[in-house]
């Protein structure tokens, strides 16, 4: 990484190009044939950027070139403005596909406060890098005064730093209406009020960079940071098992742990579906059971898990596993396969809370978005009318799943005598703090191993 950065800066000094950003992009493309390079451009609005093999979150104060970045990286652009239009549904689906193919997408203007950041986490969006660009308010106000917008393409330019060469573009540029000095000052005040809470959430993966310097210097610092690999804060390689009834929040906590400690999040059910989708040999054996709704035999599940947990990322980074084992027999098989967890958690949730969480869940068949009739109702009557309930969330099916879980959980608790017990009927981030404390600290005495 150091060689790449040094070489790039040397090339800039030698060639002194008119457009240093374009020059650096071409330079990186020529020297990164594997397509795994990450490039960032200094911006100044909230912006999440995901690029090949790196889940990267860039927190910017403003983003005049986000659209330009999208063009160069063939990424999907999603902003608060585009979310107001129906076209975003198509873009959202495409963005999901891009994420699966590791091609990347850019989200502008979000999150703006702590609640929005928590909402992103609850939706499974966990950045690995966060860059915060800062500059004195006086500088930012001065820069905003020179901002110009192309109403035809929505591209942003600046009278001093980025003036277009095309006379036709110059003629149609307009000054945004909301960029008065008073409005900018108001936005800055709101930003300073909310940023400490956002910083607290992302502080483990955040780097601050002074934006009041040449853009090439800002870029090189951001580029160096996002291509680094974070060291886990855990004092050992985490191997974590989550047990709990349906609806107890295991998936969310697994996502939070995976994001914080860079461990591999493995859900047994999802692993089986991926094997089928990838047409692997084991997937072909598993497919008939999944298609017909039958339990997959233990020997096939164990083979799949052993193969996945023996992968290099699991061995070096650790893992968090949910959905297996479901009974003591499976736990013994896991132990015989030399797959031993060093932290085990049992999530406890009252029956009434489980029924409230699951029986009121609804899904929008058009967007795939999930809602809850009480906790997260549909925003419009139109969406409300088309919501559907997953058959597994019907009361009878929930009770069947609960009966299966409770018939085995006591024996599993006896098997894993050093387990921790979590009260899952509280704020998810309180739960996360407890789980985290159990991971980073030595094993406490049995009698205090609960929340």
């Amino acid at each position: 990484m150091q060689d790449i950065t040094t070489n790039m800066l040397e090339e800039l000094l030698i060639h002194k190009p008119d457009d240093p950003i374009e020059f650096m992009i071409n330079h990186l493309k020529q020297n990164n044939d594997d397509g795994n390079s990450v490039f960032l451009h200094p911006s100044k609005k909230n912006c999440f950027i995901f690029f090949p093999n790196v889940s990267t979150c860039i927190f910017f104060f403003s983003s005049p070139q986000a659209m330009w970045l999208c063009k160069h990286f063939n990424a999907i652009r999603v902003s608060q403005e585009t979310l107001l239009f129906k076209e975003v549904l198509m873009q959202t689906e495409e963005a999901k596909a891009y994420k699966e193919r590791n091609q990347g997408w850019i989200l502008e203007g979000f999150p703006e406060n702590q609640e929005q950041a928590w909402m992103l986490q609850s939706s499974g969006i966990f950045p690995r890098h966060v860059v915060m660009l800062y500059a004195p308010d006086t500088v930012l106000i001065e820069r905003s005064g020179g901002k110009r917008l192309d109403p035809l393409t929505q591209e942003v330019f600046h009278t001093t730093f980025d003036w277009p060469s095309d006379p036709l573009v110059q003629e149609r540029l307009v000054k945004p209406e909301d960029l008065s000095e008073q409005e900018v000052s108001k936005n800055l005040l709101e930003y300073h009020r909310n940023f400490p809470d956002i910083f607290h959430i992302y502080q483990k993966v955040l780097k601050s960079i002074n934006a009041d310097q040449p853009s090439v210097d800002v870029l090189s610092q951001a580029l160096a940071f996002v291509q680094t690999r974070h060291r886990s804060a855990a004092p050992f390689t985490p191997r974590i098992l989550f047990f709990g009834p349906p609806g107890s929040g295991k998936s969310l906590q697994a996502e939070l742990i995976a994001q914080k400690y860079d461990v591999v999040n493995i859900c047994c059910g999802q692993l089986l579906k991926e094997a089928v989708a990838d047409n692997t040999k084991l997937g072909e054996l598993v497919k008939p059971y999944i298609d017909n709704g039958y339990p997959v035999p233990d020997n096939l599940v164990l083979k799949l898990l052993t193969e996945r947990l023996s992968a290099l990322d699991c061995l070096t980074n650790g893992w968090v596993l949910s959905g297996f084992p479901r009974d003591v027999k499976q736990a013994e098989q896991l132990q015989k396969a030399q797959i031993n967890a060093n932290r085990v958690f049992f999530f406890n949730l009252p029956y009434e809370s489980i029924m409230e969480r699951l029986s009121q869940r609804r899904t929008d068949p058009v967007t795939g978005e999930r809602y809850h009739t009480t906790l997260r109702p549909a925003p419009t009557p139109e969406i409300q009318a088309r919501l559907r309930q997953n058959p597994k969330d019907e009361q009878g099916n929930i009770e069947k799943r609960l009966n299966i879980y409770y018939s085995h959980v006591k024996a599993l608790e006896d098997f894993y005598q050093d387990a921790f017990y979590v009260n899952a009927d509280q704020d998810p981030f309180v739960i996360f703090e407890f789980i985290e404390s159990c991971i980073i600290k030595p094993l406490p005495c049995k009698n205090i191993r609960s929340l």
Side-chain angles (χ1 to χ4, degrees), residues 352-365:
E352 294 77 13
S353 298
I354 294 173
M355 296 303 296
E356 181 184 8
R357 289 186 183 185
L358 298 183
S359 64
Q360 298 185 45
R361 291 197 304 195
R362 299 292 185 271
T363 303
D364 184 345

Side-chain angles (χ1 to χ4, degrees), residues 141-322:
I141 292 172
E142 181 183 357
R143 290 183 181 181
S144 296
K147 185 177 178 181
R148 296 294 183 270
L149 179 69
D150 185 343
L152 185 63
T153 65
Q154 296 300 308
E155 290 188 79
V156 179
F157 298 91
H158 195 278
T159 55
T160 304
F161 306 111
D162 184 24
W163 192 245
S165 57
D166 189 341
L168 294 177
V169 176
Q170 295 176 11
E171 290 179 4
R172 63 174 183 252
L173 293 184
V174 296
K175 185 175 182 179
E177 295 179 358
D178 61 343
L179 281 180
S180 67
E181 185 171 330
Q182 291 77 12
E183 285 294 322
V184 174
S185 299
K186 180 181 176 181
N187 292 339
L188 286 171
L189 183 63
E190 186 71 16
Y191 167 79
H192 291 309
R193 183 185 297 117
N194 290 322
F195 180 72
D197 291 332
I198 301 177
F199 174 83
H200 177 73
I201 293 174
Y202 295 120
Q203 59 181 322
K204 298 293 184 181
V205 292
L206 184 144
K207 179 180 177 62
S208 299
I209 297 177
N210 180 11
D212 191 18
Q213 57 179 322
S215 60
V216 172
D217 296 334
V218 178
L219 172 63
S220 64
Q221 292 177 52
L223 180 62
F225 173 64
V226 299
Q227 289 191 325
T228 59
R229 183 186 181 89
H230 291 301
R231 295 184 63 181
S232 173
F236 55 89
T237 303
R239 299 188 299 275
I240 304 168
L241 277 178
F242 279 168
F243 294 95
S248 57
K250 301 184 297 295
S251 298
L252 173 59
Q253 296 302 324
E255 289 278 8
L256 292 172
I257 292 297
Q259 186 268 338
K260 180 69 175 287
Y261 295 101
D262 199 26
V263 301
V264 182
N265 181 13
I266 300 175
C267 172
C268 186
Q270 185 63 31
L271 191 65
L272 293 171
K273 293 176 182 177
E274 289 175 359
V276 173
D278 293 340
N279 293 318
T280 64
K281 290 183 179 179
L282 280 174
E284 292 176 358
L285 297 175
V286 167
K287 189 176 187 302
Y289 296 96
I290 292 182
D291 289 346
N292 294 289
Y294 298 137
V296 179
D298 290 353
N299 64 321
L300 294 180
V301 177
L302 197 63
K303 283 182 181 179
L304 198 61
L305 275 175
T306 303
E307 182 181 291
R308 182 65 188 92
L309 295 174
S310 300
L312 182 61
D313 57 347
C314 288
L315 294 175
T316 56
N317 297 357
W319 44 264
V320 53
L321 171 64
S322 59

Side-chain angles (χ1 to χ4, degrees), residues 391-409:
K392 71 176 184 179
D393 289 336
E394 296 174 357
Q395 184 170 346
N397 290 331
I398 295 173
E399 290 178 348
K400 289 179 183 178
R401 294 160 65 196
L402 288 176
N403 290 336
I404 294 173
Y405 173 76
Y406 287 124
S407 66
H408 297 294
V409 67

